[in-house]
Amino acid sequence: QAVLAHAVLAHLSTVCGEIFCAAASMHQTSSFFNRERRTEFDEKHVMKFAERNSATYTSLFRARSLAALFLLALGCLELGLALDFRRAQDGCAQNLPMWMLTDGSTAVLVAGLALLGIHKKRAVMGSVDLQAYLLRKDRGGDEDPALEGQLASVESGSLLDRLAWLGSCLLVMLFGLGCYWYFASDGFQGCGHTPGNWMVAILTVKLLAPLLSFCLAVSCFLGTYLAKDPKESYWDDQATDFW
């Protein structure tokens, strides 16, 4: 059950972030507002909402960057512990340092790939000009091939995203393997209390981290959205009440 819970939670944070990105990147021109209405809005009015959207996505990606940095730090800690246990005089069980070495290396790699992907997406989705373009497009504005190309690159996903996803799946499998080794060895009692305590701490953090990362991303997203949301409605500048 712990492995299944970790697997579910590990993907919640990534899926949540991708959903928020896809929601903005897959804007389609509304069929309700035709092309004749594309000039029926105030540019300053549109920019208010573009700035809100830009700040919201920037806040979301900042939260995801913090989660990736935490994973990076945890991976470095595991690598240090693996080397320390491998040099132990009492010849601690080889499964423990080998697991920490593999899991720590994978965590560092996944965190690095995630940070690169987040930086690329933030540069696109955090652009005020892009968000303003999406708002104009929703009202029947003309398409911009350059901006559409940027949106397509975010929507389709890059090689970095695929590698990070594969690495996340490997981390889930390593978590299950770590749980198995820990319980099969009776908590590494033959290695003393310290290795077993570190193992419990790392497994616990890896179980709770995805949930905390998900909550941080959602709170930052919603908090910034509500704080930056203009008082008026987005459609207040329309001359006609279409509803």
Side-chain angles (χ1 to χ4, degrees):
Q1 292 180 347
V3 176
L4 179 60
H6 180 78
V8 173
L9 293 175
H11 289 285
L12 275 177
S13 179
T14 301
V15 170
C16 175
E18 296 302 327
I19 287 175
F20 284 137
C21 283
S25 65
M26 293 188 293
H27 271 72
Q28 300 295 330
T29 302
S30 173
S31 59
F32 188 78
F33 299 100
N34 57 39
R35 294 175 61 85
E36 283 69 24
R37 296 196 181 100
R38 65 177 179 268
T39 59
E40 294 183 7
F41 58 84
D42 185 340
E43 186 67 19
K44 292 183 179 179
H45 182 80
V46 172
M47 291 304 294
K48 290 181 183 179
F49 292 88
E51 291 171 357
R52 176 203 63 186
N53 294 350
S54 173
T56 300
Y57 279 99
T58 299
S59 178
L60 170 65
F61 289 123
R62 186 180 297 116
R64 296 185 62 195
S65 296
L66 290 176
L69 288 173
F70 178 80
L71 180 62
L72 179 64
L74 183 60
C76 292
L77 175 63
E78 288 185 87
L79 292 176
L81 290 172
L83 296 176
D84 185 59
F85 292 152
R86 186 177 290 273
R87 292 194 300 263
Q89 296 295 328
D90 56 2
C92 186
Q94 291 301 307
N95 285 341
L96 178 59
M98 180 58 68
W99 178 85
M100 284 192 172
L101 182 64
T102 305
D103 191 71
S105 301
T106 305
V108 170
L109 178 61
V110 170
L113 292 173
L115 287 171
L116 291 176
I118 291 170
H119 176 74
K120 178 182 177 181
K121 292 176 182 177
R122 181 168 58 183
V124 176
M125 302 308 300
S127 170
V128 176
D129 292 336
L130 177 82
Q131 295 299 331
Y133 163 73
L134 289 174
L135 293 172
R136 297 189 198 100
K137 179 183 174 183
D138 191 52
R139 295 187 175 191
D142 296 327
E143 291 190 357
D144 186 320
L147 293 177
E148 288 295 329
Q150 295 180 24
L151 290 172
S153 66
V154 173
E155 179 182 347
S156 61
S158 63
L159 179 61
L160 291 176
D161 296 325
R162 296 184 180 93
L163 291 176
W165 184 84
L166 290 175
S168 299
C169 294
L170 181 58
L171 284 177
V172 173
M173 291 187 290
L174 287 170
F175 175 84
L177 187 60
C179 291
Y180 169 77
W181 276 341
Y182 178 80
F183 290 108
S185 63
D186 295 327
F188 296 104
Q189 293 181 1
C191 302
H193 294 293
T194 301
N197 292 339
W198 275 112
M199 188 72 170
V200 171
I202 290 174
L203 291 174
T204 302
V205 170
K206 283 183 171 292
L207 183 63
L208 296 178
L211 178 59
L212 296 177
S213 175
F214 174 81
C215 293
L216 176 63
V218 171
S219 61
C220 289
F221 184 92
L222 294 179
T224 305
Y225 181 90
L226 296 175
K228 298 288 185 178
D229 193 32
K231 301 301 182 183
E232 65 270 24
S233 168
Y234 175 57
W235 303 106
D236 280 352
D237 64 330
Q238 292 289 330
T240 304
D241 184 3
F242 298 111
W243 309 110

